[in-house]
Structure formats: C-alpha cells, structure tokens
Amino acid sequence: MEIFVYTALFAPLAAAVFAAFFAIKEKNTITGVVNSALIALSTAASIMLLCNIGDEETHVELMSWISVGGLSIPFGFNVDAVSAVMMVTVGVVSTLVHIYSIGYMAHDRAFNRFFAYLSAFVFSMLVLVMSDNFAGLFIGWEGVGLCSWMLIGFWYHKDSASWAANEAFIMNRIADLGMLLGIFMIYRQFGTLQYDAVFAAAADTDIFVLQIIGILLFIGAMGKSAQFPLHTWLADAMEGPTPVSALIHAATMVTAGVYLVIRANPIYANIPDIGFFIASLGAFVAVFAAFMALVNNDLKRIIAYSTLSQLGYMFVAAGLGAYWIALFHLMTHAFFKSLLFLGAGNIMHAMSEELNIKKMGGLFGALKITAVLMIVASVALAGIYPFAGFFSKDKILEVALNENAYILYSTLWMGAGLTAFYSFRLIFVVFFGKKNWERDIHPHEAPKITLLAMLPLGILAACAGRFEERFEYFTTKLLPEYAFNIPHDMVVLMVAATLGIAVFGIFFAFYMYIIKDGFSKRIEERAMYKFLFNQYYIPQLYQSYIVRPFEAAAKFLWKNIDEKIVDAGVDMIASALKCGGNKARGMQSGNLSAMLRWMIFGLCILLITAVFYRA
C-alpha cells in the first residue's frame, strides 16, 4: 500500500514542479491537462487507500527529518480513517477544480503559473492531512498559508488583490504563533510530537496543561478557519480567481482548522470546558456570518459568508465531542460549496466579471445548466431532504439537543432558517429576478469543460448524505463513537422543526425577491441594515484601533529611532573610520626617513607595553 501513499502525496508536487517549468511562458493548455491528470492520479490513489484501509493503518517513514538532542522527528506519513476521508475529499474537489480551471483561466496570460500554485496548494494540504506528527502538520499548515497568499494575490497588478493576500497571510501568521506555542507545549510536556505517543499519554496529563495546549492549538484553528475575531480575511480573499475561492472554501485552507480539532480529539476529549467554548464560538459564528450574508450584494462574498457560517456548525459538533459528525459535514459541505463557487465563476464570465447581484437577474434562460446545478447546491446547503446537507447539518443540531445545549440548538436552528433565506435570495435575484444588466452584456453559458467538472459535484451534493451510516462505521474505527439519547419522537419533531424553518426561509426569500422585488430603500437605509452590510463595522474598528496605531508607531520608530539613532550611529562609525583612514594614509608616504621614524615609534610602544605587562 505504500506505493499508493507516495502517489497520493507526491503526484500534486510533481504537477506543481511541471507547471513551474513553464510558469513564465505563454499559456499552454497541456499544462492544465497534465496537472489535472496528476491530481486525478493522486485522487485515485487516495480512493484506493480509503477502500483498502481496515483496522490497520498505513504508515510510511521516508527518512529521519529532525534529530537534535532528545528531539527526533521522522519525515513520516500515516493514512487512517480520518486522513483517508480528508485525502479523498481534498482530491475529488481539487481534481474537479483543476479541470474547471482549464476552461475558466483559458484567456489568462499567467495560466501556467496559476496551475503551479494550485497544485502546490493541494500538495501542502495533503502534507498537513497525512503527516503523523505535529511538526509535519505545521509544515503543511504553513505551506497552505503560503500558497493561499500566492493565489489570493494572483492578479498582483490589482492593489485590492495584493492587499487581500497580505491580510490573509498576516492574520494567519498571528494565529499560527498560538499554534506554534501549542506545539512547543506538547513537546515540553510529552517529549515527542508523534500523534500516537502524544494521544496515548493525553489522558494521564495534568488538565491545566491540556487546557493550555487545547487553547493554543485552537487559536491556530481560528485563524485558518476564519473564526471570530480572525474572520475578516475570508471575505476579502474573494479577490483571487474563482477556482481558488472554491478550493480554499471547500477542501483546503479553511477546513484545516476543523481537521486539527478532529485530529487532536484525544486532547479535547479530556478538556470538555474548552470543547464547549469551541462549540459556543461556532454557534455564534454560524449566525454572525449568516446575518452578513443576508444583506450583502457581492455574489462571491455571499457564498464566502456561508462558508464562515457552516464552519461554525462544524466546530459545534467537534466542540461537543461528535467528531465524526463534524468530519461528515466537512465532507458534504465541500461538495456543495465548491459547486456554488464554480457556478459563481460561470455567472461572472457570463456577466463580464460583474459581482453585484443587483445588476443581474433573469439569467436562467441563458445559464440553465449552471442554474440547475447551483439550485441543487443551494438546496443541499439549506438542509432540505434528501440532499447531502440535510443529513450532516441536521445531525449537528441533534448533537446540540442531545447535550442539552438548548441555547446552542436554538442558535443553530435560527441559523438554518437564515441559511435557506440567503441561499435562495441569491438564486432568485440572479436567475429569476428582474433583468438589471447593462445592454452591452450578452449572458452565455460556460464552456462545456467547466460544466463537465461541475456535474460530479452536483451528484455528490445530492446524494453524499446517503453514506451516513457507512461513514459513521468507517470513521469511528479511529474517532470516538457518539451516543444519542434522544427519544425517537423528539428526533422527528426536531427534524420537522429544522425542515420547517428551512422551507420557510426559502418561501420568504421567494416572497421578498420574486413577488416584492427585494427590500425597500427605506429598510436599506436603516441603521441595522447598514450595521450588517458593513460587517458590524469590525474591519473599520481593526483599521482605526489596530492598523493605524501600528502604522503610526512604525512611522515614529522609523523616523526617530531607525533614522536618527540606528542609521546615524552606523553613519557616524563609517565617517570616523573613513576620516581615520584618510589621516592614516599619510603614513604610507614611501619616504625612508619617515618609515624609520614610524618603526622606532612602534618599537617604543611595544617596549612600553611589555614593561607594563611584566609589572
């Protein structure tokens, strides 16, 4: 089985290197085809590992990596139930995104460079997922951050893209400091960074130490998964090409934080208070982001806020100890969320890169296939039976009810209604609303290759939830089982209530945007609407109280410390040496009498020094 591990891991790296050789050359479709084929090969190997994994895990060790004193970290990888599911999820979505990108990026001059970055992104995520120790995970973690910076800022000639890339990179570096401290704490406590050794000893470790480790690791997860208050970068990351958005939001980057908590479940299982905090923050973020999606008019940002909200649901399940359910929702969400983003890319191409949904409308006739696929994804996202989101998202509400966390349950229940509303607000406004586009725009369906790439995602969004029982059986070989104690009648009532609010959200969106043609101008001018539209004014607060004071302090230190003290001191030393050299140059006159006098002077100095030294 080792050959499949190597193939799954290194095929994306080979794809990135191959595309990099042609990065500065003109666009060549062969690059996209070869890269897509290599990512597909990696996915096939991952599926083989998934199908053949039993009670035994597949472990490979390439070489000794870091060996310093008592620290010994091998360059090793482990494929178990959790990593295999993640590998297949990442692989399936990445393969389809690569194929989609062949059509989407066809006219971009940096076509080859794009595929080099995209494949490197997949490789970094697989290193993160497959590593058998925290150091390897951190290498993949940082690799994902680097690749996201390159992809978000791919169109670097745009100031907004460069700014968004830097924001994502810097905010994640802040969070990664917490994670790095957590890894240091793990080594200090356990003397190793290997998963199996750390997790085996976790139950016998002091609770306070585990709490510190759990908090520090979760700080890293907050950055990668854009949890409040480190969330602002996620919506701004929409500056990158749309396939990048699909990959970041569905299978890489933002799912890494959820994966970390799931992977470290032996630690979090022993600190339920920290777990409950994670769940509470997740529930808050679920509605916090949903409210922003209600009023935003940017096509991609609406879907981005949806991702932020759904990540909150995943953290609720993980925080309450239902780790396999969190992983299940991560997987199903990857399919319908990537489908939504790819559909958004089709709409943008059809509308000459327009993003404001108020300047669209009536696109169903021109984009029938895209519309149908996005409707399927939206129904799945809303949690309507029998689509994938129903099985995974409703299970999370059931977990909250099972834990008697009624506030969390009520919050998530309200979030389910908001999700249905904003999802179909987008659908109704874009595809069935009043035509508002400019006369010189001629909407048209996307190229066949992009539609072909979206079709499997549509199928998975519709039916992936059907694998719930098999998924539970497979993943609980490694993850702890979760026992439900809710009476059957209560479960039926809960499902009915969740379906009811989701259906109500859809019909309310239909009423507001098809029958009434949206909210009135009077409502949009109200303070609460502006409060939500401006993201609760949090970016402005960060700008006013963090960015500007930091910028002012940096400018003060630059002008008064760096220039007046550091630079002036260095310049003064240089000037003194130059002046001394000019003065000493007279000693090298070539005059024999002068040279003899200097020799006698030097001899006298040596004799005087010798006398003082002896004394």
Side-chain angles (χ1 to χ4, degrees), residues 298-312:
D298 187 294
L299 176 65
K300 289 173 67 177
R301 282 177 178 261
I302 294 170
I303 306 173
Y305 289 133
S306 171
T307 299
L308 186 54
S309 179
Q310 296 306 305
L311 288 166

Side-chain angles (χ1 to χ4, degrees), residues 362-382:
L363 292 177
F364 183 81
L367 287 80
K368 286 187 176 67
I369 300 176
T370 297
V372 170
L373 289 171
M374 289 191 71
I375 290 170
V376 168
S378 297
V379 172
L381 175 59

